[in-house]
Every structure is written in structure tokens, then in C-alpha cells.
Amino acid sequence: MTSERYYGLIPAAGAGERMGQPRPKQYLDLLGRPMLHHSVKALLADARIDTVFVVLAPADREFKQYPWGEFGGRLAPLYCGGATRHDSVLNGLVAASSTVEPEDWMLVHDAARPCLGRRELQRMLDELAADEIGGILGVPVADTLKRADPVARIQATESRENLWQAQTPQMFRHGLLLQALGRTAKLSDEAGAVEAMGLKPKLVQGSAENLKVTYAEDLQLAQTILTSRGNQA
Ligand code: CTP
Ligand code: MG
């Protein structure tokens, strides 16, 4: 019998430069709450998630200005963010080591994905519970893909067969993830580090609604999605 636990880890130490706003995007208002609040809430919606660690910039002064009481002891801020997302996740994994066992599952989830759905999270936990390696949420590429030349003229039409877009959460055992991220740098996601060890993470069907808020117009879309679910905060 397995007795491993499930934890969330949300890197939230970025500057959100592409949003073009003075404050980091994790604190931008989304239905009266900072965006980070929705991302935390989405992970904690599944009772199997024990605690969500949030990795903040060491100089973060904003987190404490918001009320987090509704999550009780299930939310744990860690002021150990680094210069890149990779560093923030790695520092967070190290800081969480005092609580988390190597066999426990870590679900690494971007603060910038506030619309993670309950159903997709549940599917991920169900499909990967007995998995040897772990996996990520993703969606098969639906659009026709064009390769461009440097002046945006189409050079070729690429096959989209077996191509997926990677999302978060990315779910791996703490020990494996620590080892994988410690060996590589400059990868944009956790799965890439695990792949670099010669392992094949599983792709779990996600939803296009789990968008990453990167540019200003994405925030409006996120608001529309949350509102359509009747999620007011
Ligand atoms: N992140 C982090 N530490 C960093 C950089 C990013 O914890 N040094 C986090 C962000 O806060 C975000 C997630 O990683 O939750 C995904 O990164 P991204 O969408 O690129 O956010 P930013 O880096 O903040 O945005 P930008 O690249 O536009 O500056
Ligand atoms: Mg970034």
C-alpha cells in the first residue's frame, strides 16, 4: 500500500514583465482577489492536496497584505524565490524537504494559471496515482501549424500529429524532481528536466480553459472563464 501525500508548489516569484504592469502579475486583481489566490484555491479544491507551498521573492512585501485565512494551515509561503522559474521551483523543493518525503507527490503549478479546473486536477491525480514517473496536464495541438521564415512568410506546414501543449500542474515525486532539477538548468518546465533523465512523463488530458496569463488580454479571458463557472473569488 502506498501512503504518499500530495503537495502543491506554486512558483510566484516572477516579475510578470510581459504583462506590462508595475506590479507582478500574481498580484493583479482578478474578481476582487489577487490572481495567486485563485491558483492556490484551484489546487486546494481537491482534498487530497495536503498543503500548497507558495514560493515568493525574498523581498516580497505584497503577499502579507492579502487575507489568506480561508486556506487555514494548508497554505505555506516560502520566501526563497530565485532569478528564474527553475531556481524558484528548485529552492522551493529544497525548503519543503523538512516536511515532504521523497516519495510524496509534488504538483508544481504556475501562479499564472488561475483557471485550473477541478475535473482536470482530479483526472491528473487519478491517472498518475500509481504511475512510476508522473506527468503533466496538456492539450493536443488543435490548430494547423506553420513554420515561418524571418519575415513571417510561411515556409512549411508542420504536422501536428502527437503534438501537445504543456500546461501545469506538473506532477512528480519530490525526490525525483529534486534530482532532475538539480542536474539541469534553463528548462522551462519540470517535465523537461525529468525527460533529460531519460524518463517519459505521462500526458494527461487538460483543458484549454487552463490558460497561462502572460499578456494583458489574458487576464480578461481568465476573468470570463472564472465568471462562467460562477466563481466569484
Ligand atoms: N516565476 C518564479 N520565479 C521567477 C520567474 C517566474 O517563481 N524567477 C514564476 C512566475 O511567478 C509564474 C511562473 O513562474 O507563476 C510562470 O512564469 P511566467 O509566466 O514566465 O511569469 P513571469 O516570469 O513572472 O512573467 P514574465 O516572463 O512575463 O516576466
Ligand atoms: Mg517568465
Side-chain angles (χ1 to χ4, degrees):
M1 247 338 262
T2 55
S3 60
E4 66 264 20
R5 294 172 179 233
Y6 298 85
Y7 294 94
L9 187 128
I10 300 185
E17 277 173 20
R18 285 170 289 178
M19 290 294 290
Q21 301 277 334
R23 51 171 24 174
K25 64 184 173 185
Q26 53 272 29
Y27 296 120
L28 292 178
D29 183 85
L30 187 52
L31 299 171
R33 300 280 195 175
M35 180 159 62
L36 176 61
H37 184 279
H38 297 275
S39 308
V40 170
K41 188 170 174 172
L43 274 184
L44 287 176
D46 196 298
R48 284 172 283 185
I49 307 282
D50 189 291
T51 303
V52 170
F53 298 98
V54 179
V55 181
L56 303 168
D60 187 305
R61 297 285 171 273
E62 234 175 307
F63 181 84
K64 285 205 178 96
Q65 292 174 21
Y66 298 101
W68 301 98
E70 74 177 82
F71 303 122
R74 294 176 74 206
L75 177 63
L78 301 170
Y79 287 82
C80 61
T84 64
R85 181 183 182 284
H86 174 275
D87 292 339
S88 295
V89 173
L90 184 54
N91 293 351
L93 290 174
V94 171
S97 296
S98 49
T99 312
V100 178
E101 300 290 332
E103 286 305 303
D104 290 337
W105 288 107
M106 298 300 298
L107 282 85
V108 180
H109 183 55
D110 288 334
R113 291 190 191 267
C115 302
L116 167 65
R118 221 176 246 265
R119 200 179 317 132
E120 286 71 35
L121 176 58
Q122 198 178 344
R123 183 182 302 137
M124 165 167 245
L125 294 172
D126 291 347
E127 280 191 28
L128 297 180
D131 201 271
E132 282 295 312
I133 298 160
I136 71 172
L137 281 186
V139 285
V141 170
D143 295 334
T144 299
L145 294 175
K146 302 292 185 189
R147 183 170 301 278
D149 70 9
V151 290
R153 290 272 163 189
I154 296 172
Q155 229 168 20
T157 299
E158 302 284 345
S159 167
R160 64 171 175 247
E161 199 184 355
N162 295 327
L163 283 186
W164 291 58
Q165 284 179 284
Q167 301 181 338
T168 71
Q170 304 215 346
M171 173 172 159
F172 296 100
R173 290 199 170 79
H174 181 268
L176 173 67
L177 204 48
L178 199 54
Q179 194 189 348
L181 292 177
R183 281 164 41 122
T184 53
K186 294 223 178 281
L187 283 166
S188 64
D189 72 349
E190 288 63 52
V194 173
E195 292 160 45
M197 294 179 72
L199 301 171
K200 289 182 158 187
K202 176 111 175 63
L203 286 159
V204 177
Q205 178 79 45
S207 158
E209 290 193 351
N210 183 23
L211 80 164
K212 181 150 85 78
V213 176
T214 305
Y215 300 102
E217 67 260 31
D218 302 331
L219 201 60
Q220 181 60 50
L221 198 51
Q223 182 169 323
T224 305
I225 290 166
L226 292 176
T227 305
S228 76
R229 293 179 190 159
N231 186 342
Q232 292 306 313

